[in-house]
Amino acid sequence: MTQTITTTLGPVRLLGANATRIWGMPNAERCRRMAESSAKNGSAQAEGHELLFNLAYAFDPMLLRLALEEPGTVFAWGATPIVGQISVGSDPLSATHIVDLSDGRKLYNRQLRKLERPFVRELTPATRRGIERQSYFGAYKGVTDLLTKYLWPELALWLTRLAASLGMTPNMVTAIGATLCVVATYLFSQGLYWTGMLAGFIFMVLDTVDGKLARCTITSSKWGNVADHGVDLIHPPFWWYFWGVGLSAWGLALSTQTFTLVMAAVIVGYVLQRLIEGMFIKDFGMDIHVWGRFDSWFRLITARRNPNMVILFIALLAGRPDIGLIALAWWTVISLIVHAARLMQAYGVQRSGRSVVSWMEA
């Protein structure tokens, strides 16, 4: 059975039929959303070509992005075509470039900053939950902080499934998380650190859920992405500032001079570190944390929100939230120095005539 539908990318040929739902939708709808999402992100279908989707299988969206980059490409599992971009009406197995994924090869996912084996599995009622789990973990960035990478996944998977079953959109999850972020800020300012930590913890998990829900259900949007990343970018300095304000409720207020120095280190260090990351992307076309293996490792603990919250949590356990804030400031300065040194090293490599390439691509 073959049917053809039209998307904003162009014609799409669907092979077979499949009644099994994945992330609350038919596989045909998932494939349509992938095509529409690719069009929104600037991908284009070559003239005289059509996309091919085999509805008997669920597959990693990365394969569609790669097929759109190279017309005439078909990703297959053995002799079975899965997804590709082929000449209109042609035999999928006569494509100019057939990539058999059954050999276990790994491909570099630039979007998620990781080298991985893209998933391809036959979609049936018996395999659905396993595929959802695989697609969920496939949506995880390979280079991120230690909490997101090791602590959140199982809880966030459960919440992502719940949100999908309730028909929630990623923007709804972002809105709930943003509200909790503001609540945590207020609680920190009052010295209510434990309840603030709880609100912050839930927000931090939801910050993972909204992105995973968007990727798994193929419902990401421009404004949703702006809102999610905007909240992520802006709120950390406010948390650290109001944590310092709340110290007075514990009788541990920092002196004016110490507070000023700590805030200067925390806020200026945070801003400069993000600027360095932006400069690296602008000048080298990739995230600084995927350049070398060291950079990917350092991203686990660098002075971003989640690792900083670990510092504050440990200090709070010891009953010294003031020392936690001071330690956070020192860690921010150290992280800034590391990033600045790596940026200078990259410029040195470039001046020597060598290419600055991610270790995962090299």
Side-chain angles (χ1 to χ4, degrees):
M1 176 180 174
T2 303
Q3 59 175 314
T4 300
I5 63 173
T6 301
T7 68
T8 51
L9 267 180
V12 174
R13 191 196 312 180
L14 302 176
L15 300 180
N18 197 334
T20 304
R21 301 173 76 85
I22 175 173
W23 293 112
M25 66 186 127
N27 200 22
E29 172 63 14
R30 181 174 185 266
C31 292
R32 186 195 68 79
R33 289 185 187 183
M34 280 192 281
E36 296 289 354
S37 176
S38 295
K40 289 179 183 177
N41 291 327
S43 296
Q45 215 165 295
E47 186 176 353
H49 285 68
E50 63 182 356
L51 293 181
L52 173 79
F53 294 117
N54 189 333
L55 296 183
Y57 289 80
F59 57 88
D60 194 316
M62 173 178 65
L63 298 178
L64 174 59
R65 292 195 296 272
L66 295 175
L68 285 168
E69 291 175 3
E70 189 174 349
T73 296
V74 169
F75 291 98
W77 192 266
T80 304
I82 305 298
V83 58
Q85 181 180 192
I86 59 176
S87 299
V88 174
S90 66
D91 178 0
L93 295 179
S94 67
T96 55
H97 185 206
I98 297 177
V99 181
D100 181 6
L101 297 172
S102 65
D103 61 6
R105 71 182 64 195
K106 292 184 177 182
L107 304 173
Y108 178 53
N109 190 329
R110 290 185 181 86
Q111 186 181 47
L112 295 178
R113 308 197 296 263
K114 60 183 177 181
L115 187 65
E116 63 176 343
R117 179 181 178 181
F119 79 88
V120 173
R121 289 186 67 182
E122 190 172 1
L123 177 60
T124 67
T127 64
R128 178 186 64 81
R129 286 186 68 84
I131 290 173
E132 287 182 348
R133 182 179 181 84
Q134 200 167 3
S135 68
Y136 165 83
F137 281 100
Y140 253 87
K141 289 180 179 178
V143 179
T144 185
D145 66 85
L146 76 172
L147 294 186
T148 302
K149 193 176 184 71
Y150 299 115
L151 188 61
W152 297 163
E154 293 297 335
L155 176 57
L157 170 59
W158 182 83
L159 290 172
T160 301
R161 276 188 169 138
L162 177 63
S165 67
L166 293 175
M168 295 180 67
T169 66
N171 288 348
M172 292 178 186
V173 178
T174 299
I176 295 171
T179 301
L180 287 169
C181 178
V182 173
V183 170
T185 305
Y186 171 76
L187 292 171
F188 291 154
S189 73
Q190 301 302 303
L192 301 172
Y193 294 130
W194 286 115
T195 47
M197 278 276 185
L198 178 60
F201 169 82
I202 299 172
F203 160 63
M204 288 153 66
V205 175
L206 293 181
D207 189 38
T208 292
V209 171
D210 57 9
K212 303 304 171 289
L213 182 64
R215 291 190 181 101
C216 290
T217 59
I218 325 294
T219 52
S220 60
S221 65
K222 176 182 177 182
W223 291 113
N225 190 54
V226 169
D228 182 27
H229 287 83
V231 171
D232 288 350
L233 184 66
I234 293 171
H235 82 270
F238 288 94
W239 275 15
W240 318 143
Y241 176 83
F242 284 106
W243 184 282
V245 170
L247 289 173
S248 60
W250 283 56
L252 295 171
L254 302 177
S255 68
T256 301
Q257 182 180 13
T258 302
F259 183 80
T260 301
L261 289 173
V262 166
M263 286 303 112
V266 167
I267 296 173
V268 175
Y270 175 78
V271 171
L272 289 178
Q273 187 168 296
R274 298 308 293 258
L275 286 174
I276 287 172
E277 293 173 13
M279 290 172 64
F280 202 96
I281 292 173
K282 173 181 173 293
D283 293 336
F284 303 106
M286 64 180 177
D287 192 288
I288 192 172
H289 301 114
V290 302
W291 180 25
R293 288 180 183 271
F294 167 80
D295 304 297
S296 297
W297 172 84
F298 194 69
R299 178 63 179 86
L300 289 169
I301 58 173
T302 193
R304 289 282 194 92
R305 179 197 64 206
N306 289 4
N308 285 350
M309 285 292 277
V310 172
I311 294 173
L312 294 178
F313 179 76
I314 293 172
L316 198 56
L317 285 175
R320 295 303 303 266
D322 55 332
I323 293 178
L325 186 61
I326 293 171
L328 187 156
W330 275 109
W331 185 236
T332 300
V333 172
I334 292 169
S335 295
L336 173 62
I337 292 171
V338 170
H339 281 82
R342 291 298 285 164
L343 179 65
M344 293 301 102
Q345 287 174 337
Y347 285 136
V349 169
Q350 187 181 60
R351 285 194 296 271
S352 70
R354 292 175 290 158
S355 298
V356 177
V357 181
S358 169
W359 68 272
M360 287 181 275
E361 288 187 278

mmCIF file of all heavy atoms in Angstrom, residues 252-272:
data_model
loop_
_atom_site.group_PDB
_atom_site.id
_atom_site.type_symbol
_atom_site.label_atom_id
_atom_site.label_comp_id
_atom_site.label_asym_id
_atom_site.label_seq_id
_atom_site.Cartn_x
_atom_site.Cartn_y
_atom_site.Cartn_z
ATOM 1 N N LEU A 252 23.330 35.200 58.355
ATOM 2 C CA LEU A 252 24.609 34.923 57.691
ATOM 3 C C LEU A 252 24.877 35.911 56.549
ATOM 4 O O LEU A 252 25.591 35.605 55.604
ATOM 5 C CB LEU A 252 24.623 33.495 57.129
ATOM 6 C CG LEU A 252 24.550 32.359 58.149
ATOM 7 C CD1 LEU A 252 24.346 31.016 57.426
ATOM 8 C CD2 LEU A 252 25.821 32.314 58.987
ATOM 9 N N ALA A 253 24.278 37.091 56.652
ATOM 10 C CA ALA A 253 24.429 38.077 55.580
ATOM 11 C C ALA A 253 25.901 38.409 55.351
ATOM 12 O O ALA A 253 26.682 38.561 56.298
ATOM 13 C CB ALA A 253 23.660 39.346 55.928
ATOM 14 N N LEU A 254 26.274 38.513 54.097
ATOM 15 C CA LEU A 254 27.642 38.890 53.741
ATOM 16 C C LEU A 254 27.830 40.387 53.957
ATOM 17 O O LEU A 254 26.870 41.161 53.849
ATOM 18 C CB LEU A 254 27.931 38.533 52.283
ATOM 19 C CG LEU A 254 27.758 37.055 51.878
ATOM 20 C CD1 LEU A 254 28.015 36.899 50.380
ATOM 21 C CD2 LEU A 254 28.702 36.160 52.673
ATOM 22 N N SER A 255 29.035 40.786 54.229
ATOM 23 C CA SER A 255 29.312 42.227 54.328
ATOM 24 C C SER A 255 29.059 42.867 52.972
ATOM 25 O O SER A 255 29.054 42.185 51.934
ATOM 26 C CB SER A 255 30.759 42.459 54.753
ATOM 27 O OG SER A 255 31.652 42.056 53.717
ATOM 28 N N THR A 256 28.837 44.172 52.994
ATOM 29 C CA THR A 256 28.549 44.873 51.733
ATOM 30 C C THR A 256 29.654 44.658 50.705
ATOM 31 O O THR A 256 29.399 44.409 49.516
ATOM 32 C CB THR A 256 28.382 46.383 52.001
ATOM 33 O OG1 THR A 256 27.313 46.586 52.932
ATOM 34 C CG2 THR A 256 28.075 47.129 50.705
ATOM 35 N N GLN A 257 30.903 44.732 51.157
ATOM 36 C CA GLN A 257 32.024 44.555 50.234
ATOM 37 C C GLN A 257 32.073 43.137 49.676
ATOM 38 O O GLN A 257 32.248 42.944 48.467
ATOM 39 C CB GLN A 257 33.336 44.874 50.948
ATOM 40 C CG GLN A 257 34.560 44.757 50.035
ATOM 41 C CD GLN A 257 35.852 45.090 50.772
ATOM 42 O OE1 GLN A 257 35.874 45.183 51.994
ATOM 43 N NE2 GLN A 257 36.938 45.264 50.018
ATOM 44 N N THR A 258 31.910 42.147 50.567
ATOM 45 C CA THR A 258 31.943 40.754 50.112
ATOM 46 C C THR A 258 30.794 40.458 49.171
ATOM 47 O O THR A 258 30.967 39.803 48.141
ATOM 48 C CB THR A 258 31.890 39.795 51.317
ATOM 49 O OG1 THR A 258 32.989 40.058 52.178
ATOM 50 C CG2 THR A 258 31.941 38.343 50.859
ATOM 51 N N PHE A 259 29.593 40.955 49.523
ATOM 52 C CA PHE A 259 28.422 40.731 48.669
ATOM 53 C C PHE A 259 28.641 41.327 47.280
ATOM 54 O O PHE A 259 28.320 40.707 46.263
ATOM 55 C CB PHE A 259 27.182 41.349 49.319
ATOM 56 C CG PHE A 259 25.904 41.102 48.559
ATOM 57 C CD1 PHE A 259 25.235 39.887 48.659
ATOM 58 C CD2 PHE A 259 25.370 42.078 47.725
ATOM 59 C CE1 PHE A 259 24.064 39.656 47.953
ATOM 60 C CE2 PHE A 259 24.204 41.867 47.022
ATOM 61 C CZ PHE A 259 23.545 40.645 47.139
ATOM 62 N N THR A 260 29.216 42.545 47.236
ATOM 63 C CA THR A 260 29.473 43.201 45.949
ATOM 64 C C THR A 260 30.457 42.397 45.110
ATOM 65 O O THR A 260 30.253 42.201 43.902
ATOM 66 C CB THR A 260 30.016 44.622 46.178
ATOM 67 O OG1 THR A 260 29.057 45.378 46.929
ATOM 68 C CG2 THR A 260 30.275 45.314 44.843
ATOM 69 N N LEU A 261 31.535 41.922 45.739
ATOM 70 C CA LEU A 261 32.534 41.139 45.010
ATOM 71 C C LEU A 261 31.951 39.814 44.513
ATOM 72 O O LEU A 261 32.208 39.397 43.377
ATOM 73 C CB LEU A 261 33.746 40.874 45.911
ATOM 74 C CG LEU A 261 34.633 42.081 46.229
ATOM 75 C CD1 LEU A 261 35.686 41.706 47.267
ATOM 76 C CD2 LEU A 261 35.295 42.603 44.951
ATOM 77 N N VAL A 262 31.162 39.168 45.373
ATOM 78 C CA VAL A 262 30.552 37.887 44.986
ATOM 79 C C VAL A 262 29.602 38.088 43.815
ATOM 80 O O VAL A 262 29.626 37.333 42.837
ATOM 81 C CB VAL A 262 29.819 37.260 46.188
ATOM 82 C CG1 VAL A 262 28.903 36.120 45.725
ATOM 83 C CG2 VAL A 262 30.822 36.723 47.195
ATOM 84 N N MET A 263 28.760 39.107 43.888
ATOM 85 C CA MET A 263 27.806 39.348 42.802
ATOM 86 C C MET A 263 28.516 39.742 41.506
ATOM 87 O O MET A 263 28.098 39.360 40.411
ATOM 88 C CB MET A 263 26.817 40.440 43.207
ATOM 89 C CG MET A 263 25.770 39.990 44.211
ATOM 90 S SD MET A 263 24.810 38.565 43.605
ATOM 91 C CE MET A 263 25.373 37.292 44.735
ATOM 92 N N ALA A 264 29.594 40.502 41.627
ATOM 93 C CA ALA A 264 30.360 40.875 40.430
ATOM 94 C C ALA A 264 30.923 39.630 39.765
ATOM 95 O O ALA A 264 30.855 39.467 38.535
ATOM 96 C CB ALA A 264 31.482 41.839 40.801
ATOM 97 N N ALA A 265 31.485 38.727 40.581
ATOM 98 C CA ALA A 265 32.045 37.491 40.028
ATOM 99 C C ALA A 265 30.968 36.633 39.405
ATOM 100 O O ALA A 265 31.136 36.100 38.297
ATOM 101 C CB ALA A 265 32.767 36.720 41.137
ATOM 102 N N VAL A 266 29.839 36.498 40.097
ATOM 103 C CA VAL A 266 28.765 35.627 39.625
ATOM 104 C C VAL A 266 28.108 36.165 38.353
ATOM 105 O O VAL A 266 27.944 35.453 37.366
ATOM 106 C CB VAL A 266 27.702 35.451 40.736
ATOM 107 C CG1 VAL A 266 26.443 34.818 40.173
ATOM 108 C CG2 VAL A 266 28.258 34.581 41.856
ATOM 109 N N ILE A 267 27.741 37.442 38.375
ATOM 110 C CA ILE A 267 26.983 38.005 37.253
ATOM 111 C C ILE A 267 27.887 38.302 36.059
ATOM 112 O O ILE A 267 27.592 37.901 34.924
ATOM 113 C CB ILE A 267 26.223 39.267 37.700
ATOM 114 C CG1 ILE A 267 25.184 38.884 38.768
ATOM 115 C CG2 ILE A 267 25.550 39.938 36.506
ATOM 116 C CD1 ILE A 267 24.481 40.064 39.409
ATOM 117 N N VAL A 268 28.992 39.004 36.310
ATOM 118 C CA VAL A 268 29.910 39.317 35.200
ATOM 119 C C VAL A 268 30.500 38.025 34.634
ATOM 120 O O VAL A 268 30.608 37.862 33.414
ATOM 121 C CB VAL A 268 31.033 40.265 35.675
ATOM 122 C CG1 VAL A 268 32.048 40.483 34.549
ATOM 123 C CG2 VAL A 268 30.444 41.603 36.112
ATOM 124 N N GLY A 269 30.864 37.098 35.515
ATOM 125 C CA GLY A 269 31.417 35.830 35.047
ATOM 126 C C GLY A 269 30.424 35.060 34.198
ATOM 127 O O GLY A 269 30.790 34.478 33.167
ATOM 128 N N TYR A 270 29.171 35.051 34.613
ATOM 129 C CA TYR A 270 28.135 34.350 33.847
ATOM 130 C C TYR A 270 27.956 34.972 32.476
ATOM 131 O O TYR A 270 27.913 34.270 31.448
ATOM 132 C CB TYR A 270 26.810 34.399 34.620
ATOM 133 C CG TYR A 270 25.631 33.819 33.866
ATOM 134 C CD1 TYR A 270 25.445 32.436 33.777
ATOM 135 C CD2 TYR A 270 24.709 34.646 33.242
ATOM 136 C CE1 TYR A 270 24.367 31.906 33.086
ATOM 137 C CE2 TYR A 270 23.629 34.124 32.547
ATOM 138 C CZ TYR A 270 23.462 32.752 32.476
ATOM 139 O OH TYR A 270 22.389 32.236 31.776
ATOM 140 N N VAL A 271 27.848 36.297 32.432
ATOM 141 C CA VAL A 271 27.634 36.988 31.152
ATOM 142 C C VAL A 271 28.818 36.770 30.215
ATOM 143 O O VAL A 271 28.640 36.455 29.023
ATOM 144 C CB VAL A 271 27.406 38.494 31.391
ATOM 145 C CG1 VAL A 271 27.398 39.251 30.059
ATOM 146 C CG2 VAL A 271 26.086 38.726 32.130
ATOM 147 N N LEU A 272 30.038 36.931 30.738
ATOM 148 C CA LEU A 272 31.226 36.768 29.887
ATOM 149 C C LEU A 272 31.345 35.325 29.376
ATOM 150 O O LEU A 272 31.733 35.092 28.228
ATOM 151 C CB LEU A 272 32.482 37.153 30.662
ATOM 152 C CG LEU A 272 32.660 38.648 30.954
ATOM 153 C CD1 LEU A 272 33.926 38.881 31.770
ATOM 154 C CD2 LEU A 272 32.707 39.460 29.656
#
